[in-house]
Protein backbone atom coordinates (compact mmCIF):
# COMPACT_ATOMS: atom_id res chain seq x y z
CA UNK A 1 0.00 0.00 0.00
CA UNK A 2 2.73 2.47 0.90
CA UNK A 3 5.33 1.45 -1.67
CA UNK A 4 6.39 4.61 -3.44
CA UNK A 5 5.14 6.97 -0.74
CA UNK A 6 6.15 6.34 2.88
CA UNK A 7 8.14 3.22 1.85
CA UNK A 8 10.85 4.35 -0.54
CA UNK A 9 11.87 2.45 -3.67
CA UNK A 10 15.00 0.88 -2.21
CA UNK A 11 13.13 -0.62 0.74
CA UNK A 12 10.18 -1.66 -1.40
CA UNK A 13 12.42 -3.42 -3.92
CA UNK A 14 14.20 -5.24 -1.08
CA UNK A 15 10.88 -6.50 0.31
CA UNK A 16 9.66 -7.59 -3.11
CA UNK A 17 12.95 -9.33 -3.90
CA UNK A 18 12.83 -11.24 -0.63
CA UNK A 19 9.17 -12.17 -1.23
CA UNK A 20 9.81 -13.84 -4.59
CA UNK A 21 13.03 -15.40 -3.28
CA UNK A 22 10.94 -17.08 -0.58
CA UNK A 23 8.49 -18.39 -3.17
CA UNK A 24 5.92 -15.62 -2.99
CA UNK A 25 3.81 -15.18 -6.12
CA UNK A 26 0.78 -13.00 -5.27
CA UNK A 27 1.20 -9.20 -5.22
CA UNK A 28 -1.70 -6.89 -4.41
CA UNK A 29 -2.01 -3.15 -5.10
CA UNK A 30 -4.61 -0.56 -6.14
CA UNK A 31 -4.99 2.56 -8.24
CA UNK A 32 -5.42 4.54 -5.00
CA UNK A 33 -2.20 3.75 -3.11
CA UNK A 34 -1.62 6.10 -1.47
CA UNK A 35 -3.60 9.20 -2.38
CA UNK A 36 -4.07 10.22 1.28
CA UNK A 37 -0.35 10.54 2.01
CA UNK A 38 0.83 14.17 1.67
CA UNK A 39 1.88 14.57 -1.95
CA UNK A 40 0.39 11.22 -2.96
CA UNK A 41 -1.94 10.85 -5.95
CA UNK A 42 -2.71 7.12 -5.96
CA UNK A 43 -0.41 6.06 -8.81
CA UNK A 44 2.73 5.60 -6.71
CA UNK A 45 2.37 1.92 -5.77
CA UNK A 46 1.42 0.73 -9.26
CA UNK A 47 4.22 2.74 -10.85
CA UNK A 48 6.81 1.39 -8.41
CA UNK A 49 5.62 -2.17 -8.98
CA UNK A 50 5.83 -1.61 -12.71
CA UNK A 51 9.46 -0.55 -12.39
CA UNK A 52 10.26 -3.52 -10.17
CA UNK A 53 8.53 -6.03 -12.47
CA UNK A 54 10.39 -4.65 -15.50
CA UNK A 55 13.78 -4.59 -13.77
CA UNK A 56 13.45 -8.14 -12.42
CA UNK A 57 11.72 -9.69 -15.45
CA UNK A 58 9.28 -11.63 -13.26
CA UNK A 59 5.89 -10.58 -14.58
CA UNK A 60 5.04 -14.10 -15.72
CA UNK A 61 6.02 -15.51 -12.33
CA UNK A 62 3.56 -13.53 -10.22
CA UNK A 63 -0.17 -13.17 -9.75
CA UNK A 64 -0.79 -9.44 -10.03
CA UNK A 65 -3.88 -7.86 -8.46
CA UNK A 66 -5.09 -4.28 -8.48
CA UNK A 67 -8.33 -2.44 -7.78
CA UNK A 68 -10.65 0.24 -9.14
CA UNK A 69 -13.49 2.38 -7.85
CA UNK A 70 -12.12 4.20 -4.80
CA UNK A 71 -9.97 6.96 -6.28
CA UNK A 72 -11.23 10.47 -5.42
CA UNK A 73 -12.74 12.20 -8.44
CA UNK A 74 -11.71 14.93 -8.88
CA UNK A 75 -8.37 14.62 -7.05
CA UNK A 76 -8.62 16.09 -3.57
CA UNK A 77 -12.41 15.75 -3.40
CA UNK A 78 -14.08 14.51 -0.23
CA UNK A 79 -13.82 10.73 0.13
CA UNK A 80 -15.66 8.39 -0.22
CA UNK A 81 -18.53 10.63 -1.29
CA UNK A 82 -16.65 11.49 -4.45
CA UNK A 83 -14.98 8.18 -5.21
CA UNK A 84 -14.69 7.45 -8.93
CA UNK A 85 -17.17 4.57 -8.73
CA UNK A 86 -17.68 1.49 -10.85
CA UNK A 87 -19.29 2.73 -14.04
CA UNK A 88 -18.37 1.02 -17.31
CA UNK A 89 -16.35 4.04 -18.43
CA UNK A 90 -14.36 4.30 -15.20
CA UNK A 91 -13.61 0.58 -14.87
CA UNK A 92 -12.44 0.17 -18.45
CA UNK A 93 -10.37 3.36 -18.46
CA UNK A 94 -8.74 2.64 -15.12
CA UNK A 95 -7.94 -0.95 -16.08
CA UNK A 96 -6.04 0.40 -19.06
CA UNK A 97 -4.26 2.99 -16.91
CA UNK A 98 -3.31 0.42 -14.27
CA UNK A 99 -1.91 -1.96 -16.88
CA UNK A 100 0.14 0.86 -18.36
CA UNK A 101 1.61 1.78 -14.98
CA UNK A 102 2.29 -1.86 -14.12
CA UNK A 103 3.83 -2.55 -17.52
CA UNK A 104 1.58 -5.50 -18.35
CA UNK A 105 -0.99 -6.47 -20.97
CA UNK A 106 -3.29 -8.16 -18.47
CA UNK A 107 -4.25 -8.20 -14.80
CA UNK A 108 -4.51 -11.50 -12.98
CA UNK A 109 -7.03 -10.22 -10.42
CA UNK A 110 -9.10 -7.05 -10.69
CA UNK A 111 -11.18 -5.89 -7.74
CA UNK A 112 -14.14 -3.58 -7.37
CA UNK A 113 -12.47 -1.69 -4.52
CA UNK A 114 -15.47 -0.23 -2.68
CA UNK A 115 -19.22 -0.33 -3.28
CA UNK A 116 -20.80 2.05 -5.79
CA UNK A 117 -24.55 2.06 -5.35
CA UNK A 118 -24.91 4.81 -7.94
CA UNK A 119 -24.16 2.20 -10.59
CA UNK A 120 -26.48 -0.78 -10.97
CA UNK A 121 -25.03 -4.05 -9.79
CA UNK A 122 -25.94 -5.61 -13.13
CA UNK A 123 -23.88 -3.00 -14.97
CA UNK A 124 -20.91 -3.54 -12.65
CA UNK A 125 -21.05 -7.31 -13.13
CA UNK A 126 -21.25 -7.07 -16.92
CA UNK A 127 -18.42 -4.52 -17.07
CA UNK A 128 -16.04 -6.65 -15.02
CA UNK A 129 -17.07 -9.74 -17.00
CA UNK A 130 -16.24 -7.94 -20.24
CA UNK A 131 -12.66 -7.47 -19.08
CA UNK A 132 -12.37 -11.23 -18.63
CA UNK A 133 -13.95 -12.11 -21.97
CA UNK A 134 -11.68 -9.56 -23.67
CA UNK A 135 -8.62 -11.24 -22.19
CA UNK A 136 -7.57 -8.22 -20.14
CA UNK A 137 -8.29 -9.76 -16.73
CA UNK A 138 -8.06 -13.36 -15.53
CA UNK A 139 -10.19 -13.24 -12.38
CA UNK A 140 -12.50 -10.57 -10.93
CA UNK A 141 -13.28 -9.89 -7.30
CA UNK A 142 -14.62 -7.28 -4.93
CA UNK A 143 -13.50 -5.62 -1.73
CA UNK A 144 -15.34 -3.76 1.03
CA UNK A 145 -18.73 -5.07 -0.09
CA UNK A 146 -21.66 -6.27 2.00
CA UNK A 147 -22.26 -10.02 1.88
CA UNK A 148 -25.64 -9.62 0.22
CA UNK A 149 -24.10 -7.52 -2.53
CA UNK A 150 -21.45 -10.15 -3.19
CA UNK A 151 -24.08 -12.90 -3.29
CA UNK A 152 -26.34 -10.84 -5.55
CA UNK A 153 -23.49 -10.01 -7.94
CA UNK A 154 -22.50 -13.65 -8.19
CA UNK A 155 -26.10 -14.68 -8.88
CA UNK A 156 -26.38 -12.08 -11.65
CA UNK A 157 -23.23 -13.43 -13.28
CA UNK A 158 -24.36 -17.02 -12.92
CA UNK A 159 -27.78 -16.32 -14.40
CA UNK A 160 -26.21 -14.53 -17.36
CA UNK A 161 -23.46 -17.08 -17.94
CA UNK A 162 -20.80 -14.47 -17.23
CA UNK A 163 -17.53 -14.65 -15.27
CA UNK A 164 -18.36 -13.43 -11.77
CA UNK A 165 -16.57 -12.41 -8.61
CA UNK A 166 -14.53 -15.34 -7.31
CA UNK A 167 -12.65 -13.57 -4.52
CA UNK A 168 -13.54 -11.05 -1.85
CA UNK A 169 -11.06 -8.96 0.15
CA UNK A 170 -12.27 -7.51 3.45
CA UNK A 171 -10.79 -6.00 6.60
CA UNK A 172 -10.17 -8.93 8.93
CA UNK A 173 -8.10 -9.82 11.98
CA UNK A 174 -8.19 -11.94 15.12
CA UNK A 175 -9.65 -9.18 17.29
CA UNK A 176 -13.32 -8.35 16.90
CA UNK A 177 -14.51 -4.76 16.59
CA UNK A 178 -16.76 -3.49 19.33
CA UNK A 179 -20.47 -3.49 18.46
CA UNK A 180 -21.39 -0.53 16.30
CA UNK A 181 -17.77 0.28 15.42
CA UNK A 182 -17.58 2.49 12.35
CA UNK A 183 -15.09 1.83 9.57
CA UNK A 184 -16.69 3.91 6.82
CA UNK A 185 -16.20 2.50 3.33
CA UNK A 186 -13.74 -0.14 4.60
CA UNK A 187 -15.82 -2.37 6.92
CA UNK A 188 -14.60 -5.26 9.02
CA UNK A 189 -15.64 -8.61 7.60
CA UNK A 190 -19.06 -9.73 8.80
CA UNK A 191 -20.12 -13.09 10.20
CA UNK A 192 -22.58 -13.20 7.32
CA UNK A 193 -19.76 -12.93 4.78
CA UNK A 194 -17.78 -15.70 6.45
CA UNK A 195 -20.89 -17.89 6.60
CA UNK A 196 -21.60 -17.24 2.93
CA UNK A 197 -18.03 -18.11 1.95
CA UNK A 198 -18.29 -21.46 3.76
CA UNK A 199 -21.04 -22.47 1.35
CA UNK A 200 -19.28 -21.22 -1.80
CA UNK A 201 -16.23 -23.36 -2.60
CA UNK A 202 -15.28 -21.16 -5.58
CA UNK A 203 -15.10 -17.99 -3.46
CA UNK A 204 -11.69 -17.14 -1.96
CA UNK A 205 -11.62 -14.84 1.08
CA UNK A 206 -8.66 -12.49 1.57
CA UNK A 207 -8.06 -10.29 4.59
CA UNK A 208 -6.36 -6.91 4.86
CA UNK A 209 -5.20 -4.98 7.94
CA UNK A 210 -4.74 -8.38 9.54
CA UNK A 211 -1.93 -7.24 11.85
CA UNK A 212 -3.51 -3.89 12.81
CA UNK A 213 -0.47 -1.89 11.69
CA UNK A 214 1.72 -3.55 14.29
CA UNK A 215 -0.59 -3.17 17.28
CA UNK A 216 -0.29 -6.85 18.28
CA UNK A 217 3.42 -6.57 19.02
CA UNK A 218 4.48 -2.91 19.20
CA UNK A 219 3.97 -0.75 22.27
CA UNK A 220 4.14 2.37 20.11
CA UNK A 221 1.15 1.21 18.05
CA UNK A 222 -2.03 1.38 20.16
CA UNK A 223 -5.07 -0.62 19.19
CA UNK A 224 -7.32 1.19 16.71
CA UNK A 225 -10.24 2.63 18.63
CA UNK A 226 -12.69 0.24 16.96
CA UNK A 227 -10.92 -2.68 18.65
CA UNK A 228 -10.12 -1.02 21.97
CA UNK A 229 -12.58 -2.74 24.31
CA UNK A 230 -12.73 -5.48 26.92
CA UNK A 231 -13.28 -8.34 24.47
CA UNK A 232 -9.97 -7.49 22.81
CA UNK A 233 -8.09 -7.59 26.09
CA UNK A 234 -9.38 -11.10 26.78
CA UNK A 235 -8.48 -12.28 23.29
CA UNK A 236 -5.03 -10.68 23.49
CA UNK A 237 -4.34 -12.62 26.70
CA UNK A 238 -5.19 -15.93 25.02
CA UNK A 239 -3.18 -14.92 21.94
CA UNK A 240 -0.14 -14.22 24.12
CA UNK A 241 -0.48 -17.60 25.87
CA UNK A 242 -0.69 -19.52 22.59
CA UNK A 243 2.24 -17.59 21.12
CA UNK A 244 4.36 -18.41 24.18
CA UNK A 245 3.47 -22.10 23.93
CA UNK A 246 4.54 -22.20 20.29
CA UNK A 247 7.61 -20.00 20.63
CA UNK A 248 6.04 -17.70 18.06
CA UNK A 249 5.08 -14.05 17.89
CA UNK A 250 1.45 -12.92 18.26
CA UNK A 251 1.60 -11.76 14.62
CA UNK A 252 2.52 -15.25 13.49
CA UNK A 253 -0.29 -16.81 15.50
CA UNK A 254 -2.81 -14.37 13.99
CA UNK A 255 -1.66 -15.30 10.49
CA UNK A 256 -1.80 -19.03 11.23
CA UNK A 257 -5.26 -18.59 12.76
CA UNK A 258 -6.50 -16.91 9.58
CA UNK A 259 -4.90 -19.40 7.18
CA UNK A 260 -6.31 -22.41 9.01
CA UNK A 261 -9.74 -21.01 9.73
CA UNK A 262 -13.16 -21.98 8.43
CA UNK A 263 -13.26 -20.61 5.85
CA UNK A 264 -9.51 -20.16 5.35
CA UNK A 265 -8.53 -16.51 4.87
CA UNK A 266 -5.53 -15.51 2.76
CA UNK A 267 -3.80 -12.62 4.56
CA UNK A 268 -2.72 -9.66 2.44
CA UNK A 269 0.53 -8.59 4.10
CA UNK A 270 1.42 -4.95 4.44
CA UNK A 271 5.09 -4.75 5.45
CA UNK A 272 7.71 -2.03 5.20
CA UNK A 273 10.89 -4.03 5.84
CA UNK A 274 12.44 -7.38 5.04
CA UNK A 275 12.49 -8.21 8.76
CA UNK A 276 8.73 -7.73 9.01
CA UNK A 277 8.22 -9.89 5.93
CA UNK A 278 10.40 -12.69 7.30
CA UNK A 279 8.40 -12.72 10.53
CA UNK A 280 5.22 -13.14 8.52
CA UNK A 281 6.67 -15.83 6.28
CA UNK A 282 7.58 -17.92 9.32
CA UNK A 283 3.87 -18.20 10.09
CA UNK A 284 3.56 -20.59 7.14
CA UNK A 285 5.24 -23.34 9.18
CA UNK A 286 3.24 -22.63 12.35
CA UNK A 287 0.59 -25.23 13.20
CA UNK A 288 -2.17 -24.55 15.70
CA UNK A 289 -3.56 -27.72 17.24
CA UNK A 290 -7.30 -28.15 17.75
CA UNK A 291 -7.13 -27.14 21.41
CA UNK A 292 -5.17 -23.96 20.71
CA UNK A 293 -7.55 -22.99 17.94
CA UNK A 294 -10.52 -23.68 20.22
CA UNK A 295 -9.06 -21.45 22.91
CA UNK A 296 -8.41 -18.66 20.42
CA UNK A 297 -11.92 -18.93 19.04
CA UNK A 298 -13.62 -19.06 22.42
CA UNK A 299 -11.55 -16.59 24.46
CA UNK A 300 -13.15 -16.16 27.90
CA UNK A 301 -16.24 -14.02 27.95
CA UNK A 302 -17.53 -12.10 30.98
CA UNK A 303 -20.08 -13.73 33.28
Amino acid sequence: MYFGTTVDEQRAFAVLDRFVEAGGTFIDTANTYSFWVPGGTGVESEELLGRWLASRGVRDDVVLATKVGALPDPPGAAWPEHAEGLSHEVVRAQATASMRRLGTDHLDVYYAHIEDRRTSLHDTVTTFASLVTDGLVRVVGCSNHAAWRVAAAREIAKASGLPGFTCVQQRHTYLRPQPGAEFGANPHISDEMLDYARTEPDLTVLGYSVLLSGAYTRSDRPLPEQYDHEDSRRRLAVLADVAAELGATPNQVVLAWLLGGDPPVLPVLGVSSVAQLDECLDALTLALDDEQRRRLNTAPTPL
Side-chain angles (χ1 to χ4, degrees):
M1 179 181 290
Y2 291 109
F3 288 180
T5 51
T6 61
V7 179
D8 63 38
E9 188 153 315
Q10 182 177 0
R11 279 195 296 154
F13 275 34
V15 168
L16 291 161
D17 288 344
R18 172 62 184 135
F19 182 65
V20 296
E21 175 190 292
T25 58
F26 190 3
I27 298 174
D28 179 283
T29 186
N31 71 335
T32 57
Y33 296 162
S34 297
F35 74 81
W36 56 91
V37 172
T41 64
V43 304
E44 291 81 10
S45 176
E46 288 185 336
E47 288 186 341
L48 182 146
L49 283 170
R51 293 190 294 273
W52 176 79
L53 289 165
S55 68
R56 302 317 193 244
V58 294
R59 173 64 187 96
D60 293 339
D61 301 326
V62 300
V63 175
L64 190 58
T66 192
K67 312 179 189 75
V68 63
L71 191 68
D73 183 25
W79 190 89
E81 305 95 286
H82 296 286
E84 63 188 343
L86 298 170
S87 69
H88 179 86
E89 294 76 17
V90 165
V91 172
R92 297 287 304 206
Q94 289 288 8
T96 299
S98 287
M99 286 188 285
R100 183 182 66 250
R101 288 190 287 266
L102 290 163
T104 185
D105 62 358
H106 72 279
L107 301 169
D108 297 305
V109 186
Y110 201 37
Y111 290 99
H113 201 167
I114 62 173
E115 288 190 6
D116 173 18
R117 299 195 182 183
R118 300 165 298 182
T119 300
S120 78
L121 198 53
H122 182 275
D123 288 351
T124 297
V125 169
T126 56
T127 296
F128 274 81
S130 73
L131 293 169
V132 178
T133 56
D134 288 350
L136 299 174
V137 172
R138 302 289 187 258
V139 170
V140 293
C142 56
S143 183
N144 302 304
H145 280 54
W148 72 266
R149 297 274 292 182
V150 178
R154 283 164 53 84
E155 286 302 315
I156 290 169
K158 189 181 302 182
S160 303
L162 296 172
F165 296 145
T166 57
C167 50
V168 58
Q169 185 178 145
Q170 304 285 105
R171 182 189 301 273
H172 193 16
T173 188
Y174 172 61
L175 296 185
R176 300 176 290 208
Q178 56 186 316
E182 180 55 53
F183 292 94
N186 307 97
H188 188 94
I189 199 166
S190 66
D191 290 339
E192 183 181 25
M193 182 74 82
L194 292 169
D195 185 52
Y196 174 65
R198 291 185 192 103
T199 69
E200 302 292 311
D202 68 330
L203 183 66
T204 298
V205 180
L206 300 97
Y208 69 85
S209 293
V210 294
L211 300 180
L212 298 178
S213 300
Y216 284 110
T217 57
R218 291 177 53 174
S219 59
D220 62 326
R221 297 291 178 92
L223 286 178
E225 62 179 346
Q226 296 96 333
Y227 300 94
D228 190 6
H229 59 130
E230 189 57 36
D231 180 70
S232 291
R233 284 177 272 283
R234 291 189 292 270
R235 289 175 79 83
L236 286 170
V238 175
L239 180 65
D241 287 344
V242 172
E245 291 168 11
L246 294 169
T249 68
N251 285 338
Q252 291 166 343
V253 175
V254 170
L255 294 174
W257 178 82
L258 288 165
L259 286 164
D262 180 21
V265 175
L266 183 63
V268 180
L269 304 177
V271 301
S272 58
S273 71
V274 171
Q276 290 176 0
L277 176 62
D278 282 341
E279 179 190 2
C280 293
L281 292 174
D282 284 344
L284 291 170
T285 59
L286 190 66
L288 301 175
D289 64 30
D290 290 344
E291 173 62 15
Q292 289 165 334
R293 186 168 290 278
R294 185 196 66 77
R295 285 158 53 203
L296 288 165
N297 289 340
T298 60
T301 55
L303 297 176

